[in-house]
Amino acid sequence: MKVYFNGSCNICSAEINHYKKNNDHINFIDISERMDHHIQSLSKKKLFRRMHVYHEGKLYRGSESFLILWSKMPNFKWLSKLLSLPLLRQIWYLAYELLAIILFIKNFYLKK
């Protein structure tokens, strides 16, 4: 599994650093420093707009990428299962998108 995140975002980096603890089987890739072939077809804006996870031959983005990541982490499996329930999945999607757009604007447009 590969997790692509924006390391230039302080909030994103702090969260990913928390996930890195005791998760040697997950490859965390800071897209502000490097890319790889699984994501090279995406524009810089699309990459920095949402977190992405490449797992079992498929690229997930946004709220779905967190569900995949959490499902592979012992302390977060319950959260993945809970937020995968139909109504909660929709609420999680909306909450993620709202926070992601705020962070994207802050880090992509206002940082320059």
Side-chain angles (χ1 to χ4, degrees):
M1 172 186 294
K2 292 183 180 183
V3 176
Y4 302 96
F5 70 100
N6 178 5
S8 66
C9 168
N10 294 337
I11 293 171
C12 306
S13 289
E15 184 168 6
I16 293 299
N17 285 334
H18 177 72
Y19 296 149
K20 284 181 180 179
K21 297 173 188 170
N22 302 316
N23 286 297
D24 298 334
H25 63 285
I26 300 172
N27 186 6
F28 294 93
I29 300 170
D30 178 354
I31 60 168
S32 68
E33 294 181 1
R34 70 182 175 105
M35 301 285 184
D36 80 11
H37 66 282
H38 293 118
I39 57 169
Q40 67 187 4
S41 65
L42 299 175
S43 70
K44 188 173 181 179
K45 282 186 180 182
K46 284 186 179 183
L47 284 170
F48 280 76
R49 171 70 174 79
R50 292 178 183 88
M51 187 177 85
H52 294 76
V53 167
Y54 183 81
H55 181 61
E56 297 181 347
K58 185 173 179 185
L59 187 63
Y60 299 87
R61 65 179 193 162
S63 61
E64 289 295 311
S65 66
F66 273 96
L67 295 178
I68 297 298
L69 173 61
W70 291 335
S71 74
K72 303 302 177 196
M73 300 173 68
N75 294 336
F76 289 88
K77 282 185 183 186
W78 67 271
L79 185 57
S80 177
K81 288 180 182 179
L82 180 68
L83 293 178
S84 292
L85 296 172
L87 182 58
L88 293 178
R89 188 181 211 119
Q90 292 171 315
I91 293 169
W92 164 234
Y93 171 82
L94 292 172
Y96 175 88
E97 287 299 317
L98 178 62
L99 182 58
I101 193 69
I102 291 168
L103 290 175
F104 176 70
I105 291 168
K106 175 188 169 287
N107 292 300
F108 201 78
Y109 290 109
L110 301 180
K111 216 174 199 178
K112 295 179 180 181

